[in-house]
């Protein structure tokens, strides 16, 4: 198994993932601000989608200690093989309707740690977390996409953070969904999250990351580069 990011930032500071990076400038801004993970989206419907060649070029610029994550949605084995063969990755993020069995299969076949996204809208969505904890290395708790939404994540929506306040799970978990520089500190306070993920919340337009908002997000989360 590949390793993930080493400790960076202030002692006790949450680990931050900047997802949906598409260019070297904002990748550099994320790393300089103290991001612990950087995410590349392989989902054609997303405005943040990158080609394998783009992702490879970007991944080669990431310094040691920052985990490179590929976000995929219900991927076929041949698609994962093409990505993993070309892009130096540290983790796969499964953001579709993958079953626990499929998560375990991907983890075993491709030899990379797996983060599984679980959509949350209400308390009825929380029991799924335990099923995925058995097979994934990390869990990402994201706002459940509205019915009929074209994207499974990155919609700028938040769920009621009180649903997970004070809860503990056996695997590391990451909070996502509707986080911004303006609300991330409150989200961390309410949930106790030690890891947070942001994409649309640090953009000036869909798919266009803003270096200033990235820096403000990391600062608001308590991270010092």
């Amino acid at each position: 198994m590949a390793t993930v990011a080493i400790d960076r930032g202030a002692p006790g500071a949450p680990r931050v993932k900047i997802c949906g990076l598409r260019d070297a400038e904002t990748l550099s801004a994320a790393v300089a601000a103290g991001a612990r993970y950087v995410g590349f989206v392989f989902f054609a419907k997303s405005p943040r989608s990158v080609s394998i060649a783009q992702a490879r070029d970007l991944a080669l610029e990431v310094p040691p200690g920052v985990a490179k994550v590929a976000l995929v949605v219900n991927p076929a084995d041949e698609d994962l093989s093409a990505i993993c063969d070309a892009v130096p990755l540290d983790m796969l993020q499964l953001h579709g309707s993958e079953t626990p069995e499929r998560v375990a299969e991907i983890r075993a076949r491709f030899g990379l740690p797996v983060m599984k996204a679980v959509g949350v809208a209400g308390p009825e969505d929380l029991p799924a977390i335990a099923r995925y904890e058995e097979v994934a290395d990390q869990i990402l708790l994201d706002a459940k996409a509205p019915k009929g939404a074209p994207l499974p994540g990155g919609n700028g929506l938040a769920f009621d953070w009180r649903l997970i306040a004070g809860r503990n799970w056996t695997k590391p978990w990451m909070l996502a969904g509707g986080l911004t520089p303006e609300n991330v500190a409150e989200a961390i306070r309410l949930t106790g999250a030690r890891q947070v993920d942001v994409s649309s919340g640090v953009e000036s337009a869909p798919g266009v990351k803003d270096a200033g908002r990235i820096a403000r997000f990391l600062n608001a989360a308590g991270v010092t580069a």
Side-chain angles (χ1 to χ4, degrees):
M1 283 287 176
T3 57
V4 296
I6 62 173
D7 286 346
R8 299 175 74 230
R15 298 174 178 181
V16 175
K17 175 170 171 279
I18 305 295
C19 197
L21 291 159
R22 303 180 68 242
D23 61 80
E25 180 183 1
T26 51
L27 172 66
S28 178
V31 171
R36 300 281 295 283
Y37 304 80
V38 292
F40 308 119
V41 175
F42 296 91
F43 185 59
K45 294 180 180 180
S46 171
R48 303 164 190 98
S49 183
V50 291
S51 68
I52 290 176
Q54 283 177 298
R56 179 181 183 277
D57 289 345
L58 291 171
L60 290 172
E61 297 298 319
V62 178
V66 179
K68 304 172 292 293
V69 183
L71 186 158
V72 290
V73 178
N74 301 321
D77 283 351
E78 54 266 33
D79 296 325
L80 284 172
S81 292
I83 293 167
C84 293
D85 288 347
V87 185
L89 294 169
D90 298 298
M91 180 175 284
L92 297 172
Q93 178 179 330
L94 304 180
H95 216 102
S97 56
E98 301 89 359
T99 64
E101 293 75 19
R102 178 58 174 155
V103 172
E105 180 184 13
I106 289 172
R107 186 176 183 271
R109 183 183 296 270
F110 293 96
L112 285 170
V114 170
M115 178 187 297
K116 178 66 180 90
V118 177
V120 177
E124 68 279 5
D125 298 311
L126 299 181
I129 298 169
R131 296 193 292 274
Y132 285 107
E133 277 188 293
E134 296 179 1
V135 292
D137 297 276
Q138 296 202 39
I139 301 295
L140 184 138
L141 302 181
D142 197 4
K144 181 180 284 188
K147 188 174 182 179
L151 303 179
N155 295 295
L157 302 175
F159 63 91
D160 184 351
W161 298 322
R162 293 171 297 182
L163 288 170
I164 60 171
R167 290 179 177 262
N168 292 302
W169 289 283
T170 61
K171 295 289 178 68
W173 62 278
M174 186 175 288
L175 179 66
L179 298 177
T180 68
E182 294 74 31
N183 68 13
V184 66
E186 179 69 0
I188 292 169
R189 186 188 70 79
L190 282 175
T191 66
R194 303 308 305 151
Q195 303 192 113
V196 293
D197 179 296
V198 65
S199 187
S200 62
V202 291
E203 293 180 344
S204 57
V208 181
K209 291 291 185 289
D210 183 286
R213 287 188 65 79
I214 289 173
R216 290 196 295 277
F217 186 92
L218 271 290
N219 184 261
V223 176
T224 56

